[in-house]
């Protein structure tokens, strides 16, 4: 079991999961047109963008689908590039913090309650649109 733990720990330390492949492999470009990763090379990006625009024009896809795809692809490529450059874990902005001067404060229990009730007060005083607190709760959960 000691050998198993050591090899598992080394794999996790290098950013790999079981099987030895890096976690960001699905976000890295490939020139194989039969893989999902094809959409991340230059030709695949253009092909995906314009095929979605045609589908939107023909009303086979909802309006805004191509813009959403571009946004999601940009985020995925940014995560992969950030990992290669030694960046912080992608989920750090979503992890709770007890420091009230950070954006992450809203994700601990006290911060969640404080955000919820301050938005309710703002709704009551008509400083925020009705339903803002419910939307915030849905986004945080």
């Amino acid at each position: 079991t000691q050998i198993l733990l050591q090899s598992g720990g080394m794999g996790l330390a290098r950013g790999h999961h079981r099987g030895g492949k890096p976690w960001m492999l699905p976000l890295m470009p490939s020139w194989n047109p039969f893989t999902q990763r094809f959409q991340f090379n230059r030709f695949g990006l253009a092909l995906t963008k314009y095929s979605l625009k045609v589908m939107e024009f023909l009303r086979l896809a909802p309006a805004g689908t191509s813009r959403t795809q571009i946004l999601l692809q940009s985020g995925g490529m940014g995560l992969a590039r950030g990992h290669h450059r030694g960046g912080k874990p992608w989920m750090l902005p979503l992890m709770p913090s007890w420091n009230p001067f950070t954006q992450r404060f809203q994700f601990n229990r006290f911060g969640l309650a404080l955000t919820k009730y301050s938005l309710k007060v703002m709704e009551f005083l008509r400083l925020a649109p009705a339903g803002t607190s419910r939307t915030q709760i849905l986004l945080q959960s």
Side-chain angles (χ1 to χ4, degrees):
T1 58
Q2 188 175 11
I3 295 171
L4 195 64
L5 289 174
Q6 286 177 349
S7 67
M10 286 170 46
L12 291 174
R14 291 186 185 134
H16 292 58
H17 58 63
R18 292 181 187 168
K21 296 179 183 174
W23 64 266
M24 72 281 193
L25 184 65
L27 302 173
M28 297 173 70
S30 168
W31 284 98
N32 181 355
F34 300 109
T35 66
Q36 172 267 334
R37 295 173 36 208
F38 180 72
Q39 66 178 318
F40 292 112
N41 68 45
R42 289 183 185 186
F43 180 72
L45 286 169
L47 182 68
T48 304
K49 176 182 174 181
Y50 292 113
S51 63
L52 286 174
K53 284 189 177 283
V54 167
M55 289 175 66
E56 286 179 19
F57 178 75
L58 297 174
R59 297 182 188 223
L60 297 173
T65 303
S66 62
R67 287 181 296 187
T68 304
Q69 180 68 14
I70 292 167
L71 176 77
L72 292 172
Q73 285 174 331
S74 303
M77 291 185 301
L79 287 173
R81 264 188 257 122
H83 177 77
H84 280 299
R85 294 181 182 163
K88 296 179 181 177
W90 67 270
M91 68 286 221
L92 185 65
L94 303 176
M95 296 174 71
S97 169
W98 285 98
N99 180 353
F101 299 107
T102 64
Q103 177 263 338
R104 296 174 21 210
F105 179 72
Q106 66 178 325
F107 294 109
N108 68 43
R109 288 183 185 191
F110 179 73
L112 286 170
L114 183 66
T115 304
K116 175 182 172 182
Y117 292 112
S118 62
L119 285 173
K120 285 190 179 276
V121 168
M122 290 175 66
E123 286 176 7
F124 178 76
L125 297 174
R126 299 190 189 267
L127 298 173
T132 305
S133 62
R134 285 182 299 204
T135 305
Q136 181 69 16
I137 291 167
L138 287 172
L139 290 173
Q140 288 176 334
S141 60

